[in-house]
Amino acid sequence: MTRHAGKSRPGSRRTTVRANYAPRATSGGTPSPSGRAKPPKDPRDRMNKGEMRFADLLDQRIADGTVRYWLFEGIKWRLADDTYYVPDFLVQYTDDRLALYEVKAARKDSYMTTETAWLKLKIAASSLPLPLTVVWQTKD
C-alpha cells in the first residue's frame, strides 16, 4: 500500500511513503523494498589484481590465526571539503590491533601513484588514528 504525503501543488514535491512493508523470506542476500533478494556483494568484484593478491594473503593469515577479519574499502575518511580518502583494507589482528593498508602497483624500486593519491596518502597518514601502510608486490 502506498500513501502520498503532502499536497500536490505546482512546484511542490510529492513524497512516497511505503506502508505495511514486510520483506518476504528468501534464501540468502538482503531483502529489497520490492521483496526480492539482492545477491550478497563480493568485495573481490571491485578489486584489481594486486588487491586480490593481498586479500588472498589476508585470508591465509586468517587461517594461520594472526588476522581476525579484514574489510575492503571499509571506511571513508574526510580529509577536507569534498575530499575523502578510502583505504583499500582495514585489518583487525587477533590481538585487537587495527591497521589500514593501501595496495599500489609496483615500480622498479617503489610503487606507482598519482600526485593526488600521494597527497591524500600523506594527509591521511598524518591525520588518521590508525597506522597506514602502503604495500606493493616485489619481483622476488
Side-chain angles (χ1 to χ4, degrees), residues 15 22 29 57 60 63 68 89 122 125 138:
T15 307
L57 176 71
Q60 290 173 3
R68 183 169 295 144
F89 291 91
K122 294 284 283 182
T138 58

Side-chain angles (χ1 to χ4, degrees), residues 3-116:
R3 294 179 292 154
H4 294 287
K7 296 182 180 182
S8 84
R9 298 185 312 239
S12 70
R13 293 188 179 180
R14 187 175 243 188
T15 307
T16 303
V17 179
R18 183 175 288 278
N20 299 329
Y21 170 68
R24 287 187 243 162
T26 57
S27 59
T30 56
S32 66
S34 66
R36 295 186 189 131
K38 295 179 185 176
K41 293 181 181 178
D42 185 9
R44 292 178 192 260
D45 293 341
R46 300 185 325 261
M47 292 183 190
N48 62 34
K49 289 180 185 178
E51 292 164 344
M52 280 196 250
R53 281 190 221 109
F54 192 71
D56 291 340
L57 176 71
L58 291 174
D59 287 339
Q60 290 173 3
R61 299 275 170 92
I62 288 174
D64 294 346
T66 54
V67 169
R68 183 169 295 144
Y69 74 87
W70 58 267
L71 293 173
F72 178 69
E73 296 179 347
I75 63 170
K76 185 177 188 178
W77 191 261
R78 184 176 179 266
L79 302 176
D81 291 340
D82 296 326
T83 305
Y84 296 90
Y85 172 68
V86 180
D88 289 332
F89 291 91
L90 171 66
V91 178
Q92 183 181 21
Y93 292 94
T94 52
D95 60 358
D96 292 331
R97 287 180 300 126
L98 292 173
L100 301 171
Y101 291 94
E102 182 71 28
V103 179
K104 293 292 180 189
R107 218 179 208 176
K108 289 180 184 177
D109 57 347
S110 183
Y111 59 88
M112 292 189 296
T113 187
T114 63
E115 186 176 352
T116 304

